[in-house]
Structures are given as structure tokens and as C-alpha cells.
Coordinates of all heavy atoms in Angstrom, one line a residue:
M17 N -6.2 -9.9 6.6 CA -5.4 -8.7 6.3 C -6.1 -7.5 6.8 O -7.3 -7.3 6.5 CB -5.2 -8.7 4.7 CG -4.4 -7.4 4.3 SD -4.2 -7.4 2.6 CE -2.7 -8.3 2.4
K18 N -5.4 -6.7 7.5 CA -6.0 -5.5 8.1 C -6.1 -4.3 7.2 O -6.8 -3.3 7.5 CB -5.3 -5.2 9.4 CG -5.6 -6.2 10.5 CD -4.8 -5.9 11.8 CE -5.3 -6.7 12.9 NZ -4.5 -6.5 14.1
L19 N -5.3 -4.3 6.2 CA -5.2 -3.2 5.3 C -6.2 -3.3 4.2 O -6.7 -4.3 3.8 CB -3.8 -3.0 4.7 CG -2.7 -2.8 5.7 CD1 -1.3 -3.0 5.0 CD2 -2.8 -1.4 6.3
R20 N -6.6 -2.1 3.7 CA -7.6 -2.1 2.7 C -7.1 -1.2 1.5 O -6.3 -0.3 1.7 CB -8.9 -1.5 3.2 CG -9.7 -2.4 4.1 CD -11.0 -1.7 4.5 NE -11.5 -2.4 5.7 CZ -12.4 -1.8 6.5 NH1 -12.7 -0.6 6.3 NH2 -12.9 -2.5 7.5
K21 N -7.8 -1.3 0.4 CA -7.5 -0.5 -0.7 C -7.8 1.0 -0.3 O -8.9 1.2 0.3 CB -8.4 -0.9 -1.9 CG -7.8 -0.7 -3.2 CD -8.7 -1.5 -4.2 CE -8.4 -1.0 -5.6 NZ -9.2 -1.7 -6.6
G22 N -7.0 1.9 -0.7 CA -7.2 3.3 -0.4 C -6.6 3.7 0.9 O -6.6 4.9 1.2
D23 N -6.1 2.8 1.7 CA -5.4 3.2 2.9 C -4.1 3.9 2.6 O -3.4 3.6 1.7 CB -5.1 1.9 3.8 CG -6.3 1.4 4.5 OD1 -7.3 2.1 4.6 OD2 -6.2 0.3 5.1
N24 N -3.7 4.8 3.5 CA -2.4 5.4 3.4 C -1.5 4.7 4.3 O -1.8 4.4 5.4 CB -2.5 6.9 3.8 CG -2.7 7.8 2.7 OD1 -2.2 7.6 1.6 ND2 -3.6 8.8 2.8
V25 N -0.3 4.3 3.7 CA 0.7 3.6 4.5 C 2.0 4.3 4.3 O 2.2 5.0 3.4 CB 0.7 2.1 4.1 CG1 -0.5 1.4 4.4 CG2 1.1 2.0 2.6
V26 N 2.9 3.9 5.2 CA 4.3 4.4 5.0 C 5.2 3.2 4.8 O 5.0 2.2 5.4 CB 4.7 5.3 6.3 CG1 4.7 4.5 7.6 CG2 6.1 5.9 6.1
M27 N 6.2 3.4 4.0 CA 7.2 2.3 3.7 C 8.2 2.2 4.8 O 8.7 3.2 5.3 CB 7.9 2.6 2.4 CG 7.1 2.5 1.2 SD 7.0 0.8 0.5 CE 8.7 0.4 0.2
L28 N 8.4 1.0 5.3 CA 9.4 0.9 6.4 C 10.7 0.4 6.0 O 11.7 0.4 6.7 CB 8.8 -0.1 7.5 CG 7.5 0.2 8.1 CD1 7.0 -0.9 9.0 CD2 7.6 1.5 8.9
S29 N 10.8 -0.1 4.7 CA 12.1 -0.5 4.2 C 12.2 -0.3 2.8 O 11.3 0.2 2.1 CB 12.2 -2.0 4.5 OG 11.2 -2.7 3.9
G30 N 13.4 -0.5 2.2 CA 13.6 -0.3 0.8 C 14.0 1.1 0.5 O 14.2 1.9 1.4
K31 N 14.1 1.4 -0.8 CA 14.6 2.7 -1.2 C 13.6 3.8 -0.9 O 14.0 5.0 -0.9 CB 15.1 2.7 -2.6 CG 14.0 2.5 -3.6 CD 14.6 2.5 -5.1 CE 13.7 1.9 -6.1 NZ 12.6 2.8 -6.4
D32 N 12.4 3.4 -0.8 CA 11.3 4.4 -0.5 C 10.9 4.5 1.0 O 9.8 4.9 1.3 CB 10.1 4.1 -1.4 CG 10.3 4.5 -2.8 OD1 11.0 5.5 -3.1 OD2 9.8 3.8 -3.7
R33 N 11.9 4.1 1.8 CA 11.6 4.0 3.2 C 11.2 5.4 3.7 O 11.8 6.4 3.4 CB 12.8 3.6 4.0 CG 12.6 3.4 5.5 CD 13.8 3.0 6.2 NE 14.8 2.4 5.3 CZ 16.0 2.1 5.8 NH1 16.3 2.3 7.0 NH2 16.9 1.7 4.9
G34 N 10.1 5.5 4.5 CA 9.7 6.8 5.0 C 8.7 7.5 4.2 O 8.1 8.5 4.6
K35 N 8.5 7.1 3.0 CA 7.6 7.7 2.1 C 6.2 7.1 2.2 O 6.0 6.0 2.6 CB 8.0 7.6 0.6 CG 9.2 8.4 0.3 CD 9.5 8.3 -1.2 CE 10.8 8.9 -1.6 NZ 11.2 8.6 -3.0
Q36 N 5.2 8.0 2.0 CA 3.8 7.5 2.2 C 3.2 7.3 0.8 O 3.5 8.0 -0.1 CB 3.0 8.6 3.0 CG 3.5 8.6 4.4 CD 2.6 9.5 5.2 OE1 1.5 9.9 4.8 NE2 3.0 9.9 6.4
G37 N 2.3 6.4 0.8 CA 1.5 6.2 -0.4 C 0.2 5.5 -0.2 O 0.0 5.0 0.9
K38 N -0.6 5.5 -1.2 CA -1.9 4.9 -1.1 C -1.9 3.5 -1.6 O -1.3 3.2 -2.7 CB -2.9 5.8 -1.8 CG -4.3 5.6 -1.4 CD -5.2 6.7 -2.0 CE -5.5 6.4 -3.5 NZ -6.4 7.3 -4.1
I39 N -2.6 2.6 -1.0 CA -2.8 1.3 -1.5 C -3.7 1.2 -2.7 O -4.8 1.7 -2.6 CB -3.3 0.3 -0.4 CG1 -2.3 0.2 0.8 CG2 -3.6 -1.1 -1.0 CD1 -2.8 -0.6 1.9
I40 N -3.2 0.8 -3.8 CA -4.0 0.7 -5.0 C -4.4 -0.7 -5.3 O -5.3 -1.0 -6.1 CB -3.4 1.4 -6.2 CG1 -2.0 0.9 -6.5 CG2 -3.4 2.9 -6.0 CD1 -1.4 1.5 -7.8
M41 N -3.7 -1.7 -4.7 CA -4.0 -3.1 -5.0 C -3.6 -3.9 -3.8 O -2.6 -3.7 -3.1 CB -3.2 -3.5 -6.2 CG -4.1 -4.4 -7.1 SD -3.3 -4.4 -8.8 CE -1.9 -5.5 -8.5
L42 N -4.4 -5.0 -3.6 CA -4.1 -5.9 -2.5 C -4.0 -7.3 -3.0 O -4.7 -7.7 -3.9 CB -5.2 -5.9 -1.5 CG -5.5 -4.7 -0.6 CD1 -6.8 -4.9 0.1 CD2 -4.4 -4.5 0.4
S43 N -3.0 -8.0 -2.4 CA -2.9 -9.4 -2.7 C -2.9 -10.2 -1.4 O -1.9 -10.5 -0.9 CB -1.6 -9.8 -3.5 OG -1.4 -8.9 -4.6
P44 N -4.1 -10.4 -0.9 CA -4.2 -11.1 0.4 C -3.5 -12.4 0.5 O -2.9 -12.8 1.5 CB -5.7 -11.2 0.7 CG -6.3 -10.3 -0.3 CD -5.4 -10.2 -1.4
D45 N -3.5 -13.2 -0.6 CA -2.9 -14.5 -0.6 C -1.4 -14.4 -0.4 O -0.8 -15.2 0.3 CB -3.2 -15.2 -1.9 CG -4.7 -15.5 -2.0 OD1 -5.4 -15.6 -1.0 OD2 -5.2 -15.7 -3.1
A46 N -0.8 -13.4 -1.1 CA 0.7 -13.2 -1.0 C 1.1 -12.3 0.1 O 2.3 -12.1 0.3 CB 1.2 -12.7 -2.3
N47 N 0.1 -11.7 0.8 CA 0.4 -10.7 1.9 C 1.1 -9.5 1.3 O 2.1 -9.1 1.9 CB 1.1 -11.3 3.0 CG 0.2 -12.0 4.0 OD1 -1.0 -11.5 4.2 ND2 0.6 -13.0 4.7
K48 N 0.7 -9.1 0.1 CA 1.4 -8.0 -0.5 C 0.4 -6.9 -0.9 O -0.8 -7.1 -1.1 CB 2.1 -8.5 -1.8 CG 3.4 -9.3 -1.4 CD 4.2 -9.6 -2.6 CE 5.6 -10.0 -2.1 NZ 6.5 -10.3 -3.2
V49 N 1.0 -5.7 -1.0 CA 0.2 -4.6 -1.4 C 1.0 -3.8 -2.5 O 2.2 -3.8 -2.5 CB -0.2 -3.6 -0.2 CG1 -1.1 -4.2 0.7 CG2 1.1 -3.1 0.5
V50 N 0.2 -3.1 -3.3 CA 0.8 -2.2 -4.3 C 0.5 -0.8 -3.9 O -0.7 -0.5 -3.7 CB 0.3 -2.5 -5.7 CG1 0.9 -1.6 -6.7 CG2 0.7 -4.0 -6.1
L51 N 1.5 0.0 -3.8 CA 1.4 1.4 -3.4 C 1.5 2.4 -4.6 O 2.5 2.2 -5.4 CB 2.4 1.8 -2.3 CG 2.4 0.8 -1.1 CD1 3.5 1.2 -0.2 CD2 1.1 0.8 -0.4
E52 N 0.7 3.3 -4.6 CA 0.7 4.3 -5.7 C 2.0 5.1 -5.7 O 2.3 5.8 -4.8 CB -0.5 5.2 -5.6 CG -0.8 6.1 -6.8 CD -2.0 6.9 -6.6 OE1 -2.1 7.5 -5.5 OE2 -2.8 7.0 -7.5
G53 N 2.7 4.9 -6.8 CA 4.0 5.7 -7.0 C 5.1 5.3 -6.1 O 6.2 6.0 -6.1
L54 N 5.0 4.2 -5.4 CA 6.1 3.8 -4.6 C 6.7 2.4 -5.0 O 6.0 1.6 -5.6 CB 5.7 3.7 -3.1 CG 5.4 5.0 -2.4 CD1 5.1 4.8 -1.0 CD2 6.6 6.0 -2.5
N55 N 7.9 2.2 -4.7 CA 8.6 1.0 -5.0 C 8.5 0.7 -6.5 O 8.2 -0.4 -7.0 CB 8.0 -0.2 -4.2 CG 9.0 -1.3 -4.1 OD1 10.2 -1.1 -3.9 ND2 8.6 -2.6 -4.2
M56 N 8.8 1.7 -7.3 CA 8.7 1.6 -8.7 C 9.9 0.8 -9.3 O 11.0 0.9 -8.8 CB 8.8 3.0 -9.4 CG 7.8 4.0 -8.9 SD 6.1 3.6 -9.3 CE 6.1 4.2 -11.0
I57 N 9.6 0.1 -10.3 CA 10.6 -0.6 -11.1 C 10.5 -0.1 -12.5 O 9.5 0.2 -13.0 CB 10.6 -2.1 -11.0 CG1 9.1 -2.6 -11.2 CG2 11.1 -2.7 -9.8 CD1 9.0 -4.0 -11.7
K58 N 11.7 0.0 -13.1 CA 11.7 0.3 -14.5 C 11.8 -0.9 -15.4 O 12.6 -1.8 -15.2 CB 12.9 1.3 -14.8 CG 12.6 2.7 -14.3 CD 13.5 3.6 -15.1 CE 13.1 5.1 -14.7 NZ 14.0 5.6 -13.6
R59 N 10.9 -1.0 -16.3 CA 11.0 -2.1 -17.2 C 11.2 -1.7 -18.6 O 10.5 -0.8 -19.1 CB 9.6 -2.9 -17.1 CG 9.7 -4.3 -17.7 CD 8.5 -5.1 -17.2 NE 8.8 -5.7 -15.9 CZ 7.9 -6.2 -15.1 NH1 6.6 -6.2 -15.5 NH2 8.2 -6.8 -14.0
H60 N 12.2 -2.3 -19.3 CA 12.4 -1.9 -20.6 C 11.6 -2.8 -21.6 O 11.8 -4.1 -21.5 CB 13.9 -2.1 -21.0 CG 14.8 -1.2 -20.1 ND1 15.4 -0.1 -20.6 CD2 15.1 -1.2 -18.8 CE1 16.1 0.6 -19.7 NE2 15.9 -0.1 -18.5
T61 N 10.8 -2.3 -22.4 CA 10.0 -3.1 -23.3 C 10.6 -3.0 -24.7 O 11.0 -1.9 -25.1 CB 8.6 -2.7 -23.3 OG1 8.5 -1.3 -23.6 CG2 7.9 -2.8 -21.9
K62 N 10.5 -4.0 -25.3 CA 11.0 -4.0 -26.7 C 9.9 -3.5 -27.6 O 8.7 -3.8 -27.4 CB 11.4 -5.4 -27.2 CG 12.8 -5.8 -26.8 CD 13.2 -7.1 -27.4 CE 14.6 -7.5 -26.9 NZ 14.9 -8.9 -27.2
S63 N 10.3 -2.9 -28.7 CA 9.3 -2.4 -29.6 C 8.7 -3.6 -30.4 O 9.4 -4.5 -30.8 CB 9.9 -1.4 -30.5 OG 9.1 -1.1 -31.6
R64 N 7.4 -3.5 -30.6 CA 6.8 -4.5 -31.4 C 6.9 -4.2 -32.9 O 6.9 -5.1 -33.8 CB 5.4 -4.7 -31.1 CG 5.2 -5.3 -29.7 CD 3.8 -5.7 -29.4 NE 3.6 -6.0 -28.0 CZ 3.3 -5.2 -27.0 NH1 3.1 -3.9 -27.4 NH2 3.2 -5.5 -25.8
Q65 N 7.1 -2.9 -33.2 CA 7.2 -2.5 -34.6 C 8.7 -2.3 -34.9 O 9.4 -1.8 -34.1 CB 6.5 -1.2 -34.9 CG 5.0 -1.4 -34.9 CD 4.3 0.0 -34.9 OE1 4.2 0.6 -33.9 NE2 3.9 0.4 -36.1
Q66 N 9.1 -2.7 -36.1 CA 10.4 -2.5 -36.5 C 10.7 -1.0 -36.7 O 9.9 -0.3 -37.2 CB 10.7 -3.3 -37.7 CG 11.8 -4.4 -37.5 CD 12.1 -5.1 -38.7 OE1 11.5 -4.9 -39.8 NE2 13.1 -6.0 -38.6
G67 N 11.9 -0.6 -36.3 CA 12.3 0.7 -36.6 C 11.9 1.7 -35.4 O 12.4 2.8 -35.4
K68 N 11.1 1.2 -34.5 CA 10.8 2.0 -33.4 C 11.5 1.6 -32.1 O 11.8 0.4 -31.9 CB 9.3 1.9 -33.1 CG 8.4 2.9 -33.9 CD 7.0 3.0 -33.3 CE 6.2 4.1 -34.0 NZ 4.8 4.1 -33.4
A69 N 11.8 2.6 -31.3 CA 12.6 2.3 -30.1 C 11.7 1.7 -29.1 O 10.5 1.9 -29.0 CB 13.2 3.6 -29.6
G70 N 12.4 0.9 -28.2 CA 11.6 0.3 -27.1 C 11.4 1.4 -26.1 O 11.9 2.5 -26.1
Q71 N 10.5 1.1 -25.1 CA 10.2 2.1 -24.1 C 10.6 1.6 -22.8 O 10.8 0.4 -22.5 CB 8.7 2.3 -24.1 CG 8.1 3.1 -25.2 CD 6.6 3.3 -25.0 OE1 5.9 2.3 -24.9 NE2 6.2 4.5 -25.0
I72 N 10.8 2.6 -21.9 CA 11.1 2.3 -20.5 C 9.8 2.6 -19.7 O 9.3 3.7 -19.7 CB 12.2 3.1 -19.9 CG1 13.5 2.8 -20.8 CG2 12.5 2.8 -18.5 CD1 14.6 3.8 -20.4
V73 N 9.2 1.6 -19.2 CA 8.0 1.8 -18.4 C 8.2 1.6 -16.9 O 8.8 0.7 -16.5 CB 6.9 0.7 -18.9 CG1 5.6 0.9 -18.2 CG2 6.7 0.8 -20.4
S74 N 7.7 2.6 -16.2 CA 7.8 2.5 -14.7 C 6.5 1.9 -14.2 O 5.4 2.2 -14.6 CB 8.0 3.9 -14.1 OG 9.3 4.4 -14.4
K75 N 6.7 1.0 -13.3 CA 5.6 0.2 -12.8 C 5.8 0.0 -11.3 O 6.9 -0.2 -10.8 CB 5.5 -1.1 -13.5 CG 4.2 -1.7 -13.5 CD 4.2 -3.0 -14.3 CE 2.8 -3.7 -14.4 NZ 2.3 -4.0 -13.1
E76 N 4.7 0.1 -10.5 CA 4.8 -0.2 -9.1 C 4.9 -1.7 -8.9 O 4.3 -2.5 -9.5 CB 3.5 0.3 -8.4 CG 3.4 1.8 -8.3 CD 2.4 2.4 -9.3 OE1 2.1 1.7 -10.3 OE2 2.0 3.5 -9.1
R77 N 5.8 -2.0 -8.0 CA 6.0 -3.4 -7.6 C 5.4 -3.7 -6.2 O 5.5 -2.8 -5.4 CB 7.5 -3.7 -7.6 CG 7.8 -5.2 -7.6 CD 9.3 -5.4 -8.0 NE 10.1 -4.8 -6.9 CZ 10.8 -5.6 -6.1 NH1 10.9 -6.9 -6.2 NH2 11.6 -5.0 -5.1
A78 N 4.8 -4.8 -6.1 CA 4.1 -5.1 -4.8 C 5.2 -5.2 -3.7 O 6.3 -5.7 -3.9 CB 3.4 -6.4 -4.9
V79 N 4.8 -4.7 -2.5 CA 5.6 -4.9 -1.3 C 4.9 -5.7 -0.3 O 3.7 -5.8 -0.2 CB 6.0 -3.5 -0.7 CG1 6.8 -2.7 -1.7 CG2 4.7 -2.7 -0.3
S80 N 5.7 -6.3 0.5 CA 5.1 -7.2 1.6 C 4.4 -6.3 2.6 O 4.9 -5.2 2.9 CB 6.3 -8.0 2.3 OG 5.9 -8.4 3.5
I81 N 3.3 -6.7 3.2 CA 2.6 -5.9 4.2 C 3.5 -5.8 5.4 O 3.2 -4.9 6.2 CB 1.2 -6.5 4.5 CG1 1.3 -7.9 5.0 CG2 0.3 -6.3 3.4 CD1 0.1 -8.4 5.7
A82 N 4.5 -6.6 5.6 CA 5.3 -6.5 6.7 C 6.2 -5.2 6.6 O 6.8 -4.8 7.6 CB 6.2 -7.7 6.9
S83 N 6.4 -4.7 5.4 CA 7.3 -3.6 5.3 C 6.5 -2.3 5.1 O 7.1 -1.3 4.7 CB 8.3 -3.8 4.1 OG 7.6 -4.1 2.9
V84 N 5.3 -2.3 5.4 CA 4.5 -1.1 5.4 C 3.8 -0.9 6.8 O 3.5 -1.9 7.4 CB 3.5 -1.0 4.3 CG1 4.1 -1.0 2.9 CG2 2.4 -2.0 4.4
A85 N 3.5 0.3 7.1 CA 2.7 0.6 8.3 C 1.6 1.6 8.0 O 1.8 2.5 7.2 CB 3.6 1.1 9.4
M86 N 0.5 1.4 8.6 CA -0.7 2.2 8.3 C -0.5 3.6 8.8 O 0.1 3.8 9.9 CB -1.9 1.6 9.0 CG -3.1 2.4 9.1 SD -4.3 1.7 8.0 CE -5.6 2.8 8.3
V87 N -0.9 4.6 8.1 CA -0.9 6.0 8.6 C -2.4 6.4 8.8 O -3.2 6.3 7.9 CB -0.3 7.0 7.5 CG1 -0.4 8.4 8.0 CG2 1.1 6.6 7.3
C88 N -2.7 6.8 10.0 CA -4.1 7.1 10.4 C -4.5 8.4 9.7 O -3.8 9.4 9.7 CB -4.2 7.3 11.9 SG -5.8 7.8 12.4
K89 N -5.7 8.4 9.1 CA -6.1 9.6 8.4 C -6.7 10.6 9.4 O -6.9 11.7 9.0 CB -7.2 9.2 7.3 CG -8.4 8.5 7.9 CD -9.3 8.1 6.7 CE -10.5 7.3 7.3 NZ -11.2 6.5 6.4
N90 N -7.0 10.2 10.6 CA -7.5 11.1 11.6 C -6.4 11.8 12.3 O -6.4 13.1 12.4 CB -8.4 10.4 12.6 CG -9.6 9.8 11.9 OD1 -10.4 10.5 11.3 ND2 -9.8 8.5 12.1
C91 N -5.4 11.1 12.9 CA -4.4 11.7 13.7 C -3.1 11.9 12.9 O -2.2 12.6 13.3 CB -4.1 11.0 15.0 SG -3.6 9.3 14.8
G92 N -3.0 11.3 11.7 CA -1.8 11.4 10.9 C -0.6 10.7 11.3 O 0.5 10.9 10.8
K93 N -0.8 9.9 12.4 CA 0.4 9.1 12.9 C 0.5 7.8 12.3 O -0.5 7.2 11.9 CB 0.3 9.0 14.4 CG 0.5 10.3 15.2 CD 0.3 10.1 16.6 CE 0.3 11.4 17.4 NZ -0.4 11.3 18.7
V94 N 1.7 7.2 12.3 CA 1.9 5.9 11.9 C 1.4 5.0 13.0 O 1.7 5.2 14.2 CB 3.4 5.6 11.7 CG1 3.6 4.1 11.4 CG2 3.9 6.4 10.6
T95 N 0.5 4.1 12.7 CA -0.2 3.4 13.8 C -0.4 1.9 13.4 O -0.1 1.5 12.3 CB -1.6 4.1 14.0 OG1 -2.2 3.5 15.1 CG2 -2.5 3.9 12.8
R96 N -1.0 1.2 14.3 CA -1.5 -0.1 14.0 C -3.0 -0.1 14.0 O -3.6 0.7 14.7 CB -0.9 -1.1 15.1 CG 0.6 -1.1 15.0 CD 1.1 -2.5 15.4 NE 0.5 -2.9 16.7 CZ 1.0 -3.7 17.5 NH1 2.2 -4.3 17.2 NH2 0.4 -4.1 18.6
V97 N -3.5 -1.1 13.4 CA -5.0 -1.2 13.3 C -5.5 -2.1 14.3 O -5.0 -3.2 14.5 CB -5.4 -1.7 11.8 CG1 -6.9 -1.9 11.7 CG2 -4.8 -0.8 10.8
G98 N -6.5 -1.7 15.0 CA -7.2 -2.5 15.9 C -8.6 -2.7 15.6 O -9.1 -2.1 14.6
Y99 N -9.4 -3.5 16.4 CA -10.8 -3.6 16.1 C -11.6 -3.4 17.3 O -11.2 -3.6 18.4 CB -11.1 -5.0 15.5 CG -10.6 -5.3 14.2 CD1 -9.4 -5.9 13.9 CD2 -11.3 -4.8 13.1 CE1 -8.9 -6.1 12.6 CE2 -10.8 -5.0 11.8 CZ -9.7 -5.7 11.6 OH -9.2 -5.9 10.3
R100 N -12.8 -2.8 17.1 CA -13.7 -2.6 18.2 C -15.0 -3.2 17.7 O -15.4 -3.0 16.5 CB -13.9 -1.1 18.4 CG -14.6 -0.8 19.7 CD -14.6 0.7 20.0 NE -15.4 1.3 18.9 CZ -15.2 2.6 18.6 NH1 -14.2 3.3 19.1 NH2 -15.9 3.2 17.6
V101 N -15.6 -4.0 18.6 CA -16.9 -4.6 18.2 C -18.0 -3.7 18.6 O -18.1 -3.3 19.8 CB -17.1 -6.0 18.8 CG1 -18.4 -6.6 18.4 CG2 -15.9 -6.9 18.3
D102 N -18.8 -3.2 17.6 CA -19.9 -2.3 17.9 C -21.2 -3.1 17.5 O -21.5 -3.1 16.4 CB -19.7 -1.1 17.1 CG -20.7 0.0 17.5 OD1 -21.4 -0.1 18.5 OD2 -20.9 0.9 16.7
G103 N -21.9 -3.6 18.5 CA -23.0 -4.4 18.2 C -22.6 -5.7 17.4 O -21.8 -6.4 17.9
K104 N -23.1 -5.8 16.2 CA -22.8 -6.9 15.4 C -21.6 -6.7 14.5 O -21.0 -7.6 13.9 CB -24.0 -7.4 14.6 CG -25.0 -8.2 15.4 CD -26.1 -8.7 14.6 CE -27.1 -9.4 15.4 NZ -28.4 -9.6 14.7
S105 N -21.3 -5.4 14.3 CA -20.2 -5.1 13.3 C -18.9 -4.8 14.0 O -18.8 -4.4 15.1 CB -20.7 -3.9 12.4 OG -20.9 -2.8 13.3
K106 N -17.9 -5.2 13.2 CA -16.5 -5.0 13.7 C -16.0 -3.7 13.0 O -16.0 -3.6 11.8 CB -15.7 -6.2 13.3 CG -14.7 -6.7 14.3 CD -14.3 -8.1 13.9 CE -12.8 -8.3 14.0 NZ -12.4 -9.6 13.4
I107 N -15.5 -2.8 13.8 CA -15.1 -1.5 13.3 C -13.5 -1.5 13.4 O -12.9 -1.9 14.4 CB -15.6 -0.3 14.1 CG1 -17.2 -0.3 14.0 CG2 -15.1 1.0 13.6 CD1 -17.8 0.7 14.9
R108 N -12.9 -1.1 12.3 CA -11.5 -0.9 12.3 C -11.1 0.4 12.9 O -11.6 1.4 12.6 CB -11.0 -1.0 10.8 CG -9.8 -1.7 10.6 CD -9.5 -1.9 9.1 NE -9.6 -0.6 8.5 CZ -8.8 -0.2 7.5 NH1 -7.9 -1.0 7.1 NH2 -9.0 1.0 6.9
I109 N -10.2 0.3 13.9 CA -9.8 1.6 14.6 C -8.3 1.8 14.6 O -7.6 0.8 14.5 CB -10.4 1.6 16.0 CG1 -9.8 0.4 16.8 CG2 -11.9 1.7 16.1 CD1 -9.9 0.6 18.3
C110 N -8.0 3.1 14.7 CA -6.6 3.4 14.9 C -6.2 3.2 16.4 O -6.9 3.6 17.3 CB -6.4 4.9 14.6 SG -4.9 5.6 15.2
K111 N -5.1 2.5 16.6 CA -4.7 2.2 18.0 C -4.2 3.4 18.8 O -4.2 3.4 20.0 CB -3.7 1.1 18.1 CG -4.3 -0.3 17.8 CD -3.5 -1.4 18.4 CE -4.3 -2.7 18.4 NZ -3.4 -3.8 18.7
K112 N -3.9 4.5 18.0 CA -3.3 5.7 18.7 C -4.5 6.6 19.1 O -4.5 7.1 20.2 CB -2.4 6.4 17.7 CG -1.1 5.6 17.5 CD 0.1 6.4 18.0 CE 1.3 5.5 18.1 NZ 2.1 5.4 16.9
C113 N -5.4 6.9 18.2 CA -6.5 7.8 18.6 C -7.8 7.2 18.8 O -8.8 7.9 19.1 CB -6.5 9.0 17.5 SG -7.1 8.4 15.9
Q114 N -7.9 5.9 18.5 CA -9.1 5.1 18.8 C -10.3 5.5 17.9 O -11.4 5.1 18.1 CB -9.6 5.2 20.3 CG -8.5 4.9 21.3 CD -8.1 3.4 21.2 OE1 -8.9 2.5 21.1 NE2 -6.8 3.2 21.3
T115 N -10.1 6.2 16.8 CA -11.2 6.6 16.0 C -11.2 5.6 14.8 O -10.2 4.9 14.5 CB -11.1 8.0 15.4 OG1 -9.8 8.1 14.8 CG2 -11.3 9.1 16.4
E116 N -12.4 5.5 14.2 CA -12.6 4.6 13.1 C -11.8 5.0 11.9 O -11.7 6.1 11.6 CB -14.1 4.6 12.8 CG -14.5 3.5 11.8 CD -16.0 3.6 11.5 OE1 -16.7 4.2 12.3 OE2 -16.4 3.0 10.5
V117 N -11.2 4.0 11.3 CA -10.4 4.3 10.1 C -10.9 3.4 8.9 O -11.6 2.4 9.1 CB -8.9 4.0 10.2 CG1 -8.3 5.1 11.1 CG2 -8.6 2.7 10.8
Ligands
ZN8 ZN1 -5.4 7.9 14.6

């Protein structure tokens, strides 16, 4: 998986298409990411105590990495991630501006 926690990405599909958000959670096994404040679902929870109303809780739902694209923090463009080998280490770079991301 090329994306990391804290990366800024843009949604390519769904009701939040075009919106940007930060990755707050990764699920490499499922190829999914959770974006801060995006792809929210509302969940109605029942009250555990009698006489109290249930609550509506908004929660981020994971989205497939295929439906997000990385936004470069250097050039601000929607880009793809590439790699450059620098000595022994592999550096993640923006394919548009070639700087490290
Ligand atoms: Zn860039």
C-alpha cells in the first residue's frame, strides 16, 4: 500500500467526491482507508438506560483505496505516488513534482 496515515487524499467517488481529507486509519489487508470527516455514516444507537433517548452517532466509514487519490502536499495537485531509490532507502515521491512526500 502506497498510502500512509496522515496523507491527504481526495475522494474520487461517492457522495463526498471531490472532497479532501486526511487518512486517519489504514486497513492494508482490506485495501481500505478511513478519512477524517469524510464518507460519514449515521448510526442510531439505542439508549442503555431506560427513559433516555437513543443517540445518532456520526462515524467515518472506510473507503476503498481505489476510490481515493493522493494529494501532494508540495504541489497541491492530485497525483500518484512513485518511488525513488536513494542509496539503500526507498523514498516516496510525487509523480507530478518529483519531491518527497
Ligand atoms: Zn507534488
Side-chain angles (χ1 to χ4, degrees):
M17 180 178 272
K18 286 176 173 178
L19 297 167
R20 286 181 198 159
K21 210 168 165 179
D23 280 349
N24 268 317
V25 294
V26 61
M27 292 274 300
L28 301 176
S29 60
K31 66 180 165 73
D32 287 325
R33 185 180 347 172
K35 288 188 191 167
Q36 291 186 16
K38 197 170 80 177
I39 296 177
I40 52 172
M41 222 161 76
L42 289 170
S43 310
D45 295 335
N47 275 332
K48 285 190 165 180
V49 291
V50 177
L51 309 173
E52 192 176 45
L54 291 184
N55 206 37
M56 304 291 284
I57 45 157
K58 284 205 172 93
R59 194 163 276 165
H60 298 253
T61 59
K62 275 186 184 166
S63 170
R64 288 189 193 91
Q65 286 169 283
Q66 244 184 351
K68 271 194 173 179
Q71 281 182 309
I72 301 170
V73 180
S74 287
K75 202 175 182 302
E76 289 101 344
R77 197 164 63 109
V79 293
S80 161
I81 55 163
S83 55
V84 299
M86 171 108 176
V87 177
C88 175
K89 60 184 175 202
N90 297 305
C91 62
K93 287 177 189 160
V94 175
T95 187
R96 294 210 312 204
V97 178
Y99 288 100
R100 191 175 65 208
V101 179
D102 186 17
K104 279 182 184 169
S105 56
K106 219 162 137 190
I107 299 173
R108 219 170 50 138
I109 57 162
C110 162
K111 284 203 169 169
K112 292 245 164 86
C113 66
Q114 307 294 320
T115 52
E116 190 178 342
V117 285

